[in-house]
Short mmCIF file of all heavy atoms in Angstrom, two decimals:
data_model
loop_
_atom_site.label_atom_id
_atom_site.label_comp_id
_atom_site.label_asym_id
_atom_site.label_seq_id
_atom_site.Cartn_x
_atom_site.Cartn_y
_atom_site.Cartn_z
N MET M 1 18.52 37.58 60.27
CA MET M 1 18.60 36.27 60.90
C MET M 1 19.25 35.28 59.93
O MET M 1 19.01 35.34 58.73
CB MET M 1 17.18 35.82 61.27
CG MET M 1 17.16 34.63 62.20
SD MET M 1 15.49 34.31 62.82
CE MET M 1 15.37 35.49 64.14
N LYS M 2 20.10 34.42 60.49
CA LYS M 2 20.79 33.41 59.68
C LYS M 2 20.73 32.08 60.43
O LYS M 2 20.44 32.04 61.63
CB LYS M 2 22.27 33.78 59.50
CG LYS M 2 22.49 35.09 58.78
CD LYS M 2 23.98 35.40 58.68
CE LYS M 2 24.19 36.73 57.96
NZ LYS M 2 25.62 37.04 57.82
N PHE M 3 21.01 31.00 59.73
CA PHE M 3 21.19 29.74 60.45
C PHE M 3 22.62 29.26 60.24
O PHE M 3 23.28 29.61 59.25
CB PHE M 3 20.17 28.67 60.02
CG PHE M 3 20.38 28.08 58.65
CD1 PHE M 3 21.31 27.06 58.43
CD2 PHE M 3 19.64 28.53 57.57
CE1 PHE M 3 21.49 26.51 57.18
CE2 PHE M 3 19.81 27.99 56.31
CZ PHE M 3 20.74 26.98 56.11
N ALA M 4 23.08 28.50 61.20
CA ALA M 4 24.42 27.91 61.12
C ALA M 4 24.29 26.42 61.41
O ALA M 4 23.47 26.00 62.22
CB ALA M 4 25.35 28.57 62.14
N VAL M 5 25.10 25.64 60.72
CA VAL M 5 25.13 24.20 60.95
C VAL M 5 26.54 23.83 61.41
O VAL M 5 27.51 24.11 60.70
CB VAL M 5 24.76 23.40 59.68
CG1 VAL M 5 24.82 21.91 59.96
CG2 VAL M 5 23.38 23.79 59.17
N ASP M 6 26.63 23.22 62.58
CA ASP M 6 27.91 22.72 63.08
C ASP M 6 28.18 21.39 62.37
O ASP M 6 27.58 20.36 62.69
CB ASP M 6 27.83 22.53 64.60
CG ASP M 6 29.17 22.13 65.18
OD1 ASP M 6 30.00 21.56 64.45
OD2 ASP M 6 29.37 22.36 66.39
N LEU M 7 29.06 21.43 61.40
CA LEU M 7 29.30 20.25 60.57
C LEU M 7 30.09 19.17 61.29
O LEU M 7 30.13 18.03 60.83
CB LEU M 7 30.00 20.67 59.27
CG LEU M 7 29.15 21.60 58.39
CD1 LEU M 7 29.98 22.14 57.23
CD2 LEU M 7 27.92 20.89 57.86
N ALA M 8 30.68 19.51 62.42
CA ALA M 8 31.35 18.49 63.23
C ALA M 8 30.34 17.69 64.04
O ALA M 8 30.59 16.55 64.42
CB ALA M 8 32.37 19.14 64.16
N VAL M 9 29.19 18.29 64.29
CA VAL M 9 28.14 17.63 65.08
C VAL M 9 27.13 16.92 64.18
O VAL M 9 26.64 15.84 64.49
CB VAL M 9 27.42 18.68 65.98
CG1 VAL M 9 26.22 18.07 66.68
CG2 VAL M 9 28.41 19.24 66.99
N CYS M 10 26.83 17.52 63.03
CA CYS M 10 25.85 16.95 62.09
C CYS M 10 26.27 15.54 61.68
O CYS M 10 27.43 15.29 61.36
CB CYS M 10 25.79 17.84 60.84
SG CYS M 10 24.94 17.09 59.45
N GLN M 11 25.31 14.64 61.71
CA GLN M 11 25.58 13.25 61.34
C GLN M 11 24.90 12.87 60.02
O GLN M 11 24.69 11.68 59.75
CB GLN M 11 25.10 12.32 62.47
CG GLN M 11 25.90 12.47 63.76
CD GLN M 11 27.36 12.07 63.58
OE1 GLN M 11 27.66 11.00 63.05
NE2 GLN M 11 28.27 12.93 63.99
N ASN M 12 24.52 13.87 59.24
CA ASN M 12 23.92 13.63 57.92
C ASN M 12 22.65 12.77 58.00
O ASN M 12 22.40 11.95 57.12
CB ASN M 12 24.93 12.99 56.97
CG ASN M 12 26.15 13.85 56.78
OD1 ASN M 12 26.07 14.98 56.33
ND2 ASN M 12 27.30 13.34 57.18
N ILE M 13 21.90 12.96 59.06
CA ILE M 13 20.68 12.17 59.22
C ILE M 13 19.62 12.62 58.23
O ILE M 13 18.79 11.82 57.79
CB ILE M 13 20.19 12.28 60.69
CG1 ILE M 13 21.24 11.62 61.59
CG2 ILE M 13 18.83 11.64 60.88
CD1 ILE M 13 21.09 11.94 63.06
N GLY M 14 19.64 13.88 57.86
CA GLY M 14 18.79 14.36 56.78
C GLY M 14 17.42 14.86 57.18
O GLY M 14 16.63 15.24 56.31
N GLN M 15 17.12 14.87 58.47
CA GLN M 15 15.80 15.36 58.91
C GLN M 15 15.56 16.78 58.42
O GLN M 15 14.45 17.12 58.00
CB GLN M 15 15.71 15.29 60.44
CG GLN M 15 14.37 15.75 60.99
CD GLN M 15 13.23 14.84 60.58
OE1 GLN M 15 13.37 13.63 60.60
NE2 GLN M 15 12.12 15.43 60.21
N CYS M 16 16.59 17.61 58.43
CA CYS M 16 16.43 19.01 58.00
C CYS M 16 16.02 19.09 56.54
O CYS M 16 15.29 20.00 56.15
CB CYS M 16 17.72 19.78 58.24
SG CYS M 16 19.18 19.01 57.51
N SER M 17 16.46 18.15 55.72
CA SER M 17 16.14 18.22 54.29
C SER M 17 14.67 17.89 54.05
O SER M 17 14.12 18.25 53.01
CB SER M 17 17.04 17.28 53.50
OG SER M 17 16.74 15.94 53.78
N PHE M 18 14.03 17.21 54.98
CA PHE M 18 12.59 16.97 54.89
C PHE M 18 11.81 18.15 55.46
O PHE M 18 10.76 18.51 54.95
CB PHE M 18 12.20 15.69 55.64
CG PHE M 18 12.75 14.44 55.02
CD1 PHE M 18 13.84 13.80 55.58
CD2 PHE M 18 12.20 13.92 53.87
CE1 PHE M 18 14.37 12.66 55.01
CE2 PHE M 18 12.72 12.78 53.28
CZ PHE M 18 13.81 12.14 53.85
N THR M 19 12.36 18.76 56.51
CA THR M 19 11.67 19.85 57.20
C THR M 19 11.75 21.16 56.40
O THR M 19 10.76 21.89 56.32
CB THR M 19 12.29 20.07 58.59
OG1 THR M 19 12.31 18.82 59.28
CG2 THR M 19 11.49 21.09 59.39
N ALA M 20 12.90 21.44 55.83
CA ALA M 20 13.10 22.69 55.10
C ALA M 20 13.92 22.42 53.84
O ALA M 20 15.08 22.83 53.72
CB ALA M 20 13.80 23.71 55.99
N PRO M 21 13.33 21.70 52.88
CA PRO M 21 14.10 21.27 51.69
C PRO M 21 14.59 22.42 50.83
O PRO M 21 15.55 22.25 50.06
CB PRO M 21 13.09 20.40 50.93
CG PRO M 21 11.75 20.82 51.42
CD PRO M 21 11.95 21.24 52.85
N GLU M 22 13.98 23.60 50.97
CA GLU M 22 14.42 24.73 50.16
C GLU M 22 15.76 25.27 50.65
O GLU M 22 16.45 25.98 49.92
CB GLU M 22 13.36 25.85 50.17
CG GLU M 22 13.10 26.50 51.52
CD GLU M 22 12.18 25.70 52.44
OE1 GLU M 22 11.92 24.51 52.17
OE2 GLU M 22 11.75 26.26 53.46
N MET M 23 16.16 24.92 51.86
CA MET M 23 17.43 25.40 52.40
C MET M 23 18.44 24.30 52.67
O MET M 23 19.64 24.53 52.62
CB MET M 23 17.19 26.17 53.71
CG MET M 23 16.58 27.52 53.50
SD MET M 23 16.30 28.35 55.06
CE MET M 23 14.82 27.49 55.56
N PHE M 24 17.95 23.12 53.00
CA PHE M 24 18.84 22.01 53.37
C PHE M 24 18.74 20.94 52.29
O PHE M 24 17.73 20.26 52.18
CB PHE M 24 18.45 21.42 54.73
CG PHE M 24 18.57 22.38 55.86
CD1 PHE M 24 17.54 23.26 56.17
CD2 PHE M 24 19.72 22.42 56.64
CE1 PHE M 24 17.65 24.15 57.22
CE2 PHE M 24 19.84 23.31 57.69
CZ PHE M 24 18.81 24.18 57.98
N THR M 25 19.78 20.80 51.50
CA THR M 25 19.77 19.80 50.44
C THR M 25 20.90 18.79 50.69
O THR M 25 21.92 19.11 51.29
CB THR M 25 19.96 20.45 49.06
OG1 THR M 25 21.18 21.18 49.05
CG2 THR M 25 18.81 21.40 48.75
N LEU M 26 20.65 17.59 50.22
CA LEU M 26 21.65 16.53 50.35
C LEU M 26 22.30 16.30 48.99
O LEU M 26 21.63 16.39 47.95
CB LEU M 26 20.99 15.24 50.85
CG LEU M 26 20.24 15.33 52.17
CD1 LEU M 26 19.68 13.95 52.55
CD2 LEU M 26 21.12 15.85 53.30
N ASP M 27 23.58 15.98 48.99
CA ASP M 27 24.25 15.69 47.73
C ASP M 27 24.07 14.22 47.36
O ASP M 27 23.34 13.48 48.04
CB ASP M 27 25.74 16.09 47.81
CG ASP M 27 26.52 15.27 48.83
OD1 ASP M 27 26.04 14.19 49.24
OD2 ASP M 27 27.62 15.72 49.21
N ASP M 28 24.70 13.79 46.31
CA ASP M 28 24.52 12.43 45.82
C ASP M 28 25.00 11.38 46.83
O ASP M 28 24.59 10.23 46.77
CB ASP M 28 25.27 12.23 44.50
CG ASP M 28 24.61 13.02 43.37
OD1 ASP M 28 23.44 13.42 43.53
OD2 ASP M 28 25.28 13.23 42.34
N ASP M 29 25.86 11.81 47.75
CA ASP M 29 26.35 10.89 48.79
C ASP M 29 25.48 10.92 50.04
O ASP M 29 25.81 10.27 51.04
CB ASP M 29 27.79 11.26 49.18
CG ASP M 29 28.76 11.06 48.01
OD1 ASP M 29 28.53 10.13 47.22
OD2 ASP M 29 29.72 11.84 47.91
N GLY M 30 24.39 11.70 50.01
CA GLY M 30 23.50 11.78 51.16
C GLY M 30 24.02 12.68 52.26
O GLY M 30 23.55 12.62 53.40
N LYS M 31 24.97 13.54 51.92
CA LYS M 31 25.51 14.48 52.91
C LYS M 31 25.01 15.88 52.59
O LYS M 31 24.73 16.20 51.43
CB LYS M 31 27.05 14.45 52.89
CG LYS M 31 27.60 13.10 53.32
CD LYS M 31 29.10 13.11 53.33
CE LYS M 31 29.63 11.76 53.80
NZ LYS M 31 31.09 11.71 53.82
N LEU M 32 24.94 16.73 53.61
CA LEU M 32 24.50 18.10 53.40
C LEU M 32 25.39 18.77 52.35
O LEU M 32 26.62 18.68 52.43
CB LEU M 32 24.57 18.90 54.70
CG LEU M 32 23.42 18.72 55.68
CD1 LEU M 32 23.68 19.55 56.92
CD2 LEU M 32 22.09 19.12 55.05
N SER M 33 24.78 19.43 51.39
CA SER M 33 25.55 20.07 50.33
C SER M 33 26.46 21.17 50.87
O SER M 33 27.44 21.54 50.23
CB SER M 33 24.61 20.63 49.27
OG SER M 33 23.68 21.51 49.85
N PHE M 34 26.16 21.68 52.09
CA PHE M 34 27.01 22.71 52.69
C PHE M 34 28.44 22.20 52.87
O PHE M 34 29.37 23.01 52.98
CB PHE M 34 26.51 23.12 54.08
CG PHE M 34 25.06 23.51 54.11
CD1 PHE M 34 24.27 23.13 55.18
CD2 PHE M 34 24.49 24.26 53.11
CE1 PHE M 34 22.94 23.49 55.24
CE2 PHE M 34 23.17 24.63 53.15
CZ PHE M 34 22.39 24.23 54.22
N ARG M 35 28.62 20.91 52.96
CA ARG M 35 29.96 20.37 53.20
C ARG M 35 30.92 20.70 52.05
O ARG M 35 32.13 20.61 52.21
CB ARG M 35 29.89 18.87 53.44
CG ARG M 35 29.26 18.54 54.78
CD ARG M 35 29.31 17.06 55.10
NE ARG M 35 28.61 16.78 56.34
CZ ARG M 35 29.13 16.95 57.54
NH1 ARG M 35 30.37 17.37 57.68
NH2 ARG M 35 28.42 16.67 58.61
N ASN M 36 30.34 21.06 50.90
CA ASN M 36 31.19 21.47 49.79
C ASN M 36 31.67 22.91 49.94
O ASN M 36 32.57 23.34 49.21
CB ASN M 36 30.41 21.32 48.47
CG ASN M 36 30.03 19.89 48.21
OD1 ASN M 36 30.77 18.97 48.54
ND2 ASN M 36 28.85 19.68 47.64
N GLU M 37 31.04 23.65 50.87
CA GLU M 37 31.37 25.07 51.02
C GLU M 37 32.09 25.38 52.33
O GLU M 37 32.69 26.43 52.46
CB GLU M 37 30.09 25.91 50.99
CG GLU M 37 29.26 25.73 49.72
CD GLU M 37 27.95 26.49 49.78
OE1 GLU M 37 27.94 27.59 50.37
OE2 GLU M 37 26.95 25.97 49.27
N ALA M 38 31.98 24.48 53.31
CA ALA M 38 32.55 24.77 54.63
C ALA M 38 33.00 23.46 55.26
O ALA M 38 32.49 22.39 54.92
CB ALA M 38 31.51 25.45 55.52
N THR M 39 33.93 23.55 56.19
CA THR M 39 34.41 22.33 56.85
C THR M 39 33.91 22.25 58.29
O THR M 39 33.41 21.20 58.70
CB THR M 39 35.94 22.27 56.84
OG1 THR M 39 36.45 23.50 57.33
CG2 THR M 39 36.45 22.04 55.43
N ASP M 40 34.02 23.32 59.05
CA ASP M 40 33.63 23.27 60.46
C ASP M 40 32.20 23.74 60.68
O ASP M 40 31.43 23.09 61.39
CB ASP M 40 34.56 24.14 61.31
CG ASP M 40 35.99 23.62 61.27
OD1 ASP M 40 36.16 22.40 61.11
OD2 ASP M 40 36.91 24.43 61.38
N GLU M 41 31.85 24.87 60.09
CA GLU M 41 30.52 25.43 60.30
C GLU M 41 30.07 26.13 59.02
O GLU M 41 30.83 26.88 58.41
CB GLU M 41 30.52 26.44 61.46
CG GLU M 41 29.15 27.02 61.74
CD GLU M 41 29.15 27.97 62.93
OE1 GLU M 41 29.71 29.08 62.79
OE2 GLU M 41 28.60 27.61 63.97
N TYR M 42 28.83 25.87 58.64
CA TYR M 42 28.25 26.58 57.51
C TYR M 42 27.33 27.66 58.06
O TYR M 42 26.50 27.38 58.93
CB TYR M 42 27.44 25.64 56.62
CG TYR M 42 26.62 26.39 55.59
CD1 TYR M 42 27.20 26.88 54.43
CD2 TYR M 42 25.26 26.65 55.81
CE1 TYR M 42 26.47 27.60 53.50
CE2 TYR M 42 24.52 27.37 54.89
CZ TYR M 42 25.13 27.84 53.73
OH TYR M 42 24.40 28.55 52.83
N VAL M 43 27.45 28.87 57.56
CA VAL M 43 26.55 29.97 57.95
C VAL M 43 25.80 30.42 56.71
O VAL M 43 26.42 30.71 55.67
CB VAL M 43 27.33 31.14 58.58
CG1 VAL M 43 26.37 32.26 58.97
CG2 VAL M 43 28.12 30.67 59.80
N SER M 44 24.49 30.48 56.82
CA SER M 44 23.64 30.82 55.67
C SER M 44 23.71 32.31 55.36
O SER M 44 24.11 33.12 56.21
CB SER M 44 22.20 30.44 55.97
OG SER M 44 21.60 31.39 56.84
N PRO M 45 23.22 32.69 54.19
CA PRO M 45 22.97 34.11 53.92
C PRO M 45 21.81 34.58 54.81
O PRO M 45 21.14 33.76 55.46
CB PRO M 45 22.56 34.14 52.45
CG PRO M 45 22.97 32.82 51.89
CD PRO M 45 22.96 31.84 53.02
N GLU M 46 21.57 35.88 54.82
CA GLU M 46 20.45 36.43 55.59
C GLU M 46 19.14 35.79 55.12
O GLU M 46 18.91 35.64 53.91
CB GLU M 46 20.41 37.95 55.37
CG GLU M 46 19.57 38.70 56.36
CD GLU M 46 20.13 38.66 57.78
OE1 GLU M 46 21.37 38.61 57.96
OE2 GLU M 46 19.31 38.67 58.71
N LEU M 47 18.30 35.41 56.09
CA LEU M 47 17.06 34.68 55.77
C LEU M 47 15.86 35.62 55.68
O LEU M 47 15.78 36.62 56.42
CB LEU M 47 16.78 33.65 56.86
CG LEU M 47 17.85 32.60 57.10
CD1 LEU M 47 17.49 31.77 58.33
CD2 LEU M 47 18.02 31.71 55.88
N THR M 48 14.92 35.26 54.82
CA THR M 48 13.62 35.93 54.84
C THR M 48 12.88 35.47 56.09
O THR M 48 13.27 34.48 56.74
CB THR M 48 12.79 35.55 53.61
OG1 THR M 48 12.49 34.15 53.67
CG2 THR M 48 13.54 35.87 52.30
N ASP M 49 11.79 36.15 56.43
CA ASP M 49 11.02 35.74 57.61
C ASP M 49 10.50 34.32 57.46
O ASP M 49 10.54 33.53 58.41
CB ASP M 49 9.85 36.70 57.84
CG ASP M 49 10.31 38.07 58.34
OD1 ASP M 49 11.49 38.19 58.76
OD2 ASP M 49 9.50 39.01 58.30
N ASP M 50 10.00 33.97 56.26
CA ASP M 50 9.49 32.61 56.04
C ASP M 50 10.61 31.59 56.18
O ASP M 50 10.43 30.53 56.79
CB ASP M 50 8.86 32.49 54.65
CG ASP M 50 7.47 33.13 54.60
OD1 ASP M 50 6.94 33.48 55.67
OD2 ASP M 50 6.94 33.28 53.48
N ASP M 51 11.77 31.89 55.60
CA ASP M 51 12.90 30.95 55.69
C ASP M 51 13.39 30.83 57.13
O ASP M 51 13.81 29.76 57.57
CB ASP M 51 14.04 31.39 54.77
CG ASP M 51 13.77 31.03 53.32
OD1 ASP M 51 12.79 30.32 53.04
OD2 ASP M 51 14.54 31.49 52.46
N ALA M 52 13.31 31.93 57.87
CA ALA M 52 13.74 31.87 59.28
C ALA M 52 12.81 30.94 60.06
O ALA M 52 13.27 30.16 60.90
CB ALA M 52 13.73 33.26 59.89
N ASP M 53 11.52 30.99 59.77
CA ASP M 53 10.58 30.07 60.44
C ASP M 53 10.91 28.62 60.10
O ASP M 53 10.92 27.75 60.96
CB ASP M 53 9.13 30.38 60.01
CG ASP M 53 8.61 31.68 60.61
OD1 ASP M 53 9.24 32.20 61.57
OD2 ASP M 53 7.58 32.17 60.12
N SER M 54 11.20 28.37 58.81
CA SER M 54 11.53 27.00 58.40
C SER M 54 12.84 26.55 59.03
O SER M 54 12.97 25.39 59.46
CB SER M 54 11.66 26.93 56.87
OG SER M 54 10.42 27.18 56.25
N ALA M 55 13.81 27.43 59.09
CA ALA M 55 15.09 27.08 59.70
C ALA M 55 14.93 26.78 61.18
O ALA M 55 15.57 25.87 61.73
CB ALA M 55 16.11 28.21 59.49
N GLN M 56 14.05 27.53 61.85
CA GLN M 56 13.82 27.25 63.27
C GLN M 56 13.14 25.91 63.46
O GLN M 56 13.45 25.18 64.42
CB GLN M 56 13.01 28.39 63.89
CG GLN M 56 13.88 29.61 64.14
CD GLN M 56 13.12 30.83 64.63
OE1 GLN M 56 11.99 31.06 64.24
NE2 GLN M 56 13.77 31.62 65.46
N SER M 57 12.25 25.54 62.54
CA SER M 57 11.63 24.21 62.62
C SER M 57 12.69 23.13 62.42
O SER M 57 12.71 22.13 63.14
CB SER M 57 10.54 24.07 61.55
OG SER M 57 9.48 24.96 61.79
N ALA M 58 13.56 23.34 61.43
CA ALA M 58 14.62 22.36 61.18
C ALA M 58 15.54 22.24 62.39
O ALA M 58 15.95 21.13 62.77
CB ALA M 58 15.42 22.76 59.94
N ALA M 59 15.85 23.38 63.02
CA ALA M 59 16.71 23.35 64.21
C ALA M 59 16.05 22.58 65.34
O ALA M 59 16.70 21.80 66.04
CB ALA M 59 17.02 24.78 64.65
N ALA M 60 14.75 22.78 65.50
CA ALA M 60 14.04 22.10 66.59
C ALA M 60 13.99 20.59 66.37
O ALA M 60 13.99 19.82 67.33
CB ALA M 60 12.63 22.67 66.72
N LEU M 61 13.98 20.17 65.10
CA LEU M 61 13.81 18.74 64.79
C LEU M 61 15.13 18.02 64.52
O LEU M 61 15.15 16.80 64.41
CB LEU M 61 12.88 18.59 63.58
CG LEU M 61 11.43 19.01 63.85
CD1 LEU M 61 10.63 19.04 62.55
CD2 LEU M 61 10.77 18.08 64.84
N CYS M 62 16.23 18.77 64.42
CA CYS M 62 17.52 18.11 64.17
C CYS M 62 17.87 17.23 65.37
O CYS M 62 18.00 17.72 66.49
CB CYS M 62 18.61 19.15 63.97
SG CYS M 62 20.28 18.44 63.90
N PRO M 63 18.03 15.93 65.15
CA PRO M 63 18.31 15.03 66.29
C PRO M 63 19.66 15.25 66.94
O PRO M 63 19.87 14.83 68.08
CB PRO M 63 18.20 13.63 65.68
CG PRO M 63 18.36 13.83 64.22
CD PRO M 63 17.89 15.21 63.89
N MET M 64 20.56 15.94 66.24
CA MET M 64 21.89 16.19 66.80
C MET M 64 22.02 17.61 67.35
O MET M 64 23.07 17.99 67.84
CB MET M 64 22.96 15.98 65.72
CG MET M 64 23.00 14.60 65.12
SD MET M 64 23.18 13.29 66.36
CE MET M 64 24.80 13.69 66.99
N GLN M 65 20.96 18.40 67.23
CA GLN M 65 20.99 19.81 67.66
C GLN M 65 22.18 20.53 67.01
O GLN M 65 22.89 21.30 67.67
CB GLN M 65 21.02 19.92 69.18
CG GLN M 65 19.78 19.27 69.81
CD GLN M 65 19.73 19.39 71.31
OE1 GLN M 65 20.75 19.46 71.97
NE2 GLN M 65 18.52 19.43 71.85
N ALA M 66 22.36 20.26 65.72
CA ALA M 66 23.50 20.83 65.00
C ALA M 66 23.18 22.17 64.34
O ALA M 66 24.08 22.81 63.83
CB ALA M 66 23.97 19.84 63.93
N ILE M 67 21.89 22.56 64.36
CA ILE M 67 21.48 23.79 63.67
C ILE M 67 21.20 24.86 64.70
O ILE M 67 20.47 24.63 65.66
CB ILE M 67 20.22 23.53 62.82
CG1 ILE M 67 20.46 22.38 61.83
CG2 ILE M 67 19.83 24.82 62.07
CD1 ILE M 67 19.20 21.90 61.14
N ARG M 68 21.74 26.05 64.44
CA ARG M 68 21.51 27.20 65.31
C ARG M 68 20.92 28.31 64.46
O ARG M 68 21.36 28.53 63.32
CB ARG M 68 22.85 27.63 65.90
CG ARG M 68 22.78 28.66 67.02
CD ARG M 68 24.18 29.04 67.53
NE ARG M 68 24.85 29.94 66.61
CZ ARG M 68 25.94 29.62 65.91
NH1 ARG M 68 26.50 28.45 66.03
NH2 ARG M 68 26.48 30.51 65.09
N VAL M 69 19.90 28.97 64.96
CA VAL M 69 19.31 30.10 64.23
C VAL M 69 19.45 31.34 65.12
O VAL M 69 19.00 31.35 66.25
CB VAL M 69 17.81 29.85 63.92
CG1 VAL M 69 17.24 31.03 63.14
CG2 VAL M 69 17.64 28.55 63.14
N ASP M 70 20.13 32.35 64.57
CA ASP M 70 20.25 33.58 65.35
C ASP M 70 20.57 34.75 64.44
O ASP M 70 20.65 34.60 63.23
CB ASP M 70 21.28 33.46 66.47
CG ASP M 70 22.61 32.90 66.01
OD1 ASP M 70 22.97 33.05 64.82
OD2 ASP M 70 23.28 32.28 66.85
S1 LIG P 101 18.98 17.12 60.68
FE1 LIG P 101 20.77 17.80 61.80
S2 LIG P 101 22.12 16.02 61.86
FE2 LIG P 101 20.61 15.68 60.26
S3 LIG P 101 21.57 16.42 58.36
FE3 LIG P 101 20.36 18.09 59.22
S4 LIG P 101 21.81 19.24 60.46
FE4 LIG P 101 22.70 17.26 60.11
#
């Protein structure tokens, strides 16, 4: 299982960084650090079961519905 963030939809609101801070970090500009690695979509490495649960919580709480877990 992996999560993906649609960086065109994400508005850097940061809710995910509170919900799952071990996976979603913000840079000094308050933007998801994934933006340094991808432009359109960031896809995570394979998740542990615990991380998959956290990613699903972050996806459920993202106000832009920018996170997909599959
Ligand atoms: S909660 Fe959603 S919109 Fe906010 S930074 Fe995370 S992915 Fe982007």
